[in-house]
Amino acid sequence: MPAVTAVPALPALSTQAERLIELGVHEIAGLPAAELRAFADAAGDPAGDEDGGVLLAVHPDRAPASALAPLLRRDGKPGFVVTDMPDVDEFAPLESVAVPDSPLHLITGVDRGDRMANWSPDEALPALTAEARTPLLLTEGIHWVLQQPAALERNRCFMTIGSRLRKPDGTLDSRTPALWISNGTGRDGRERRKAPKVGWCWAGNRHTWLGFASATGRRPGTL
């Protein structure tokens, strides 16, 4: 396994807002570009607020994973959702994950969770909770890579276990979402080799190349 490399800090919130506007995320979310810019301006400069900076994210109800994933790019190839995850947008925040009830929010202290590589999601969630950290949602993980592509690194990818699918009987589906880099095998297709990929792993399984992305908290910001 290659040595762990630090993920570069996030850009300023104003720069993040412009990036989302450039990608058309504001249109997906049904938000005027001016509102996104005003939100970032009102939040101010987060430098020094948290290690790695502060991430600007759109609520998953406004910008679902299926719409965000194709905006990812790596080696000129767009991101995609695995074919056996047609219900990706039905993965919702866990009851223990508090997401601000607003179109936009801020995420502090984002970490890729490399130290938890080779842990299972069932093992990682209680450990993060004990550390007063909150697991990222799938859409938040996509936002992070949109703003900082270096967060997704070969053999250093991550799970986003804040999002889970609840079955009709109330129990959780055993799939847990993750972001990694396709090898272009199987149903992915050779043309998708090295492309960013939204997929899933079983909640009880371990993978040496997947950490667990988390944050210190979320806040709604102001306008």
Side-chain angles (χ1 to χ4, degrees):
M1 182 72 68
V4 176
T5 56
V7 178
L10 283 157
L13 290 176
S14 58
T15 303
Q16 292 185 45
E18 293 304 323
R19 172 67 171 155
L20 295 180
I21 293 167
E22 173 191 353
L23 292 170
V25 175
H26 67 300
E27 294 176 340
I28 293 171
L31 296 171
E35 184 173 337
L36 201 55
R37 292 188 176 108
F39 181 90
D41 290 344
D45 184 356
D49 185 30
E50 288 281 348
D51 290 341
V54 175
L55 177 64
L56 169 60
V58 180
H59 196 284
D61 288 348
R62 292 287 193 119
S66 64
L68 295 176
L71 303 178
L72 295 166
R73 289 291 185 279
R74 191 175 192 275
D75 290 344
K77 297 182 179 181
F80 67 99
V81 179
V82 293
T83 58
D84 57 352
M85 205 176 183
D87 50 1
V88 64
D89 293 336
E90 296 176 29
F91 282 69
L94 288 169
E95 292 178 359
S96 60
V97 175
V99 180
D101 185 19
S102 57
L104 303 167
H105 63 274
L106 304 174
I107 307 163
T108 57
V110 180
D111 178 74
R112 193 167 59 187
D114 293 342
R115 64 186 177 81
M116 288 184 171
N118 210 30
W119 290 38
S120 73
D122 286 343
E123 294 166 332
L125 182 59
L128 291 172
T129 301
E131 296 171 0
R133 296 191 62 84
T134 178
L136 288 196
L137 306 180
L138 173 56
T139 53
E140 292 173 342
I142 296 174
H143 273 85
W144 188 21
V145 180
L146 287 174
Q147 299 291 354
Q148 184 47 271
L152 199 64
E153 180 183 357
R154 177 69 71 179
N155 293 319
R156 295 292 177 190
C157 301
F158 58 87
M159 304 199 73
T160 53
I161 59 174
S163 296
R164 295 291 296 272
L165 176 64
R166 195 166 291 279
K167 296 188 289 188
D169 64 3
T171 62
L172 290 175
D173 187 283
S174 295
R175 293 172 296 167
T176 52
L179 286 106
W180 70 90
I181 300 165
S182 175
N183 286 325
T185 57
R187 284 178 288 182
D188 288 1
R190 286 184 296 175
E191 70 280 3
R192 284 174 165 166
R193 179 172 170 76
K194 298 184 179 180
K197 171 179 177 176
V198 171
W200 58 269
C201 299
W202 299 119
N205 286 6
R206 298 173 177 174
H207 298 278
T208 58
W209 42 277
L210 285 175
F212 292 85
S214 66
T216 54
R218 299 173 182 84
R219 58 177 188 253
T222 58
L223 276 175

